[in-house]
Amino acid sequence: MDLFLFTVDPRWGADVVAAGAAGIVVDWERRGKLRRQAGEGTQINSDTPEDLSAVRAATPGRVVCRINGAGPWTADEVDDAVRRGADEILLPMVRSVEEVDRTLDAVAGRCGLGILIETQDAVDRAADLAARPLSRIYVGLNDLRIDRRSTELFRPLVDGTVERVRAEVRMPFGVGGLTLPGGGFPVPGDLLAAELVRMRTDFTFLRRSFIADMAGRDPFVEVPRLLACLDRFRAADGSGVAAAREEFVAAVEAASGRVPVAQPA
């Protein structure tokens, strides 16, 4: 499973990639986000174009730029991200196929384009969206929860929503976010990791929980430890997979209504 770290610290990001992560995400998304996520305890980044240039210069790993949701500014943001060396662009808050098609036109094959399925409209259109020539698709649980007016972050992982989207996706698929083995709240991170492996998740993100749990730790120790944990889940037999799924569902039910403030936005 590829791990993508959200950071604008070039040196630390380069170390995490050298330790085994696949790449770095620089996050430009902020238009309308404060209003949309008001009171939700989520993270809104203030990454800049200069941050993208610095990260690109620091690492040979994949550099991904999350731009703002589709609008009149999209073509300019795409051009700037490409010029500064982004290998891929992530388009958030997708609601229509037309938004994706316009962004693909703006990209014009110069880099990859991935999308975030984090609205009910996008969930309903997953098959059509997945038919586009995209570099990856990620299901964003926090904004999907907000869009559904729900208090249950992990509900789409147990009610069939994520699995229905996963069934439509042939390009790299991602969901959720991981931290170090033994961490995670209110659902233990190890159970979430096992669930991501069960769903054949190709990539996921390392964000606030991971960054907080890494304080004072060596990425050249901890990133391989996280990857080894994923490998152990991948090697589990059928009964182990089923037991982990049951534990995950039970943990989600026990955490019902509790939104972790450290969950990726």
Side-chain angles (χ1 to χ4, degrees):
M1 190 183 304
D2 287 340
L3 306 175
F4 285 87
L5 173 69
F6 273 67
T7 189
V8 292
D9 182 333
R11 183 173 179 177
W12 189 65
D15 282 350
V16 172
V17 171
I24 296 173
V25 182
V26 177
D27 188 10
W28 291 356
E29 186 195 7
R30 63 184 59 89
R31 285 180 180 268
K33 195 168 186 178
L34 182 61
R35 181 179 64 255
R36 184 175 79 242
Q37 296 185 349
E40 299 291 347
T42 55
Q43 180 181 21
I44 300 175
N45 292 318
S46 56
D47 303 356
T48 67
E50 291 72 26
D51 288 326
L52 177 57
S53 296
V55 167
R56 174 72 286 166
T59 178
R62 291 195 74 75
V63 175
V64 181
C65 181
R66 179 162 71 173
I67 62 174
N68 285 291
W73 47 81
T74 299
D76 288 341
E77 290 185 358
V78 166
D79 288 344
D80 199 10
V82 170
R83 184 168 57 250
R84 292 175 184 274
D87 297 300
E88 296 182 42
I89 287 167
L90 283 179
L91 182 68
M93 296 303 295
V94 168
R95 292 190 180 276
S96 71
V97 172
E98 291 73 23
E99 291 173 343
V100 175
D101 287 343
R102 287 195 299 270
T103 307
L104 282 166
D105 288 343
V107 169
R110 294 175 292 169
C111 69
L113 175 66
I115 64 169
L116 280 71
I117 290 183
E118 48 193 352
T119 67
Q120 187 59 46
D121 289 335
V123 169
D124 294 341
R125 294 168 174 79
D128 288 338
L129 292 168
R132 268 53 191 173
L134 300 170
S135 56
R136 65 185 70 246
I137 288 179
Y138 176 86
V139 177
L141 297 178
N142 228 328
D143 272 309
L144 182 57
R145 175 186 62 79
I146 294 168
D147 197 61
R148 288 177 159 183
R149 296 178 174 82
S150 170
T151 61
E152 298 189 64
L153 183 71
F154 296 106
R155 181 59 53 185
L157 285 167
V158 300
D159 68 6
T161 299
V162 174
E163 293 200 74
R164 286 192 295 273
V165 174
R166 179 70 184 95
E168 302 292 349
V169 175
R170 298 294 177 264
M171 63 283 293
F173 171 83
V175 64
L178 292 181
T179 187
L180 299 180
F185 175 83
V187 172
D190 289 13
L191 293 180
L192 177 58
E195 179 65 6
L196 298 190
V197 169
R198 185 189 70 83
M199 290 193 303
R200 298 174 292 109
T201 301
D202 300 297
F203 72 96
T204 191
F205 293 145
L206 306 175
R207 293 203 62 184
R208 278 196 293 172
S209 295
F210 174 82
I211 292 168
D213 290 347
M214 278 294 295
R217 296 175 181 265
D218 183 351
F220 291 95
V221 173
E222 300 301 337
V223 175
R225 188 164 73 92
L226 174 54
L227 291 169
C229 177
L230 293 170
D231 285 341
R232 287 195 297 274
F233 289 131
R234 197 172 292 113
D237 60 19
S239 61
V241 171
R245 169 66 178 175
E246 288 183 8
E247 286 188 61
F248 175 75
V249 172
V252 170
E253 297 297 345
S256 178
R258 288 190 289 169
V259 179
V261 296
Q263 180 66 22

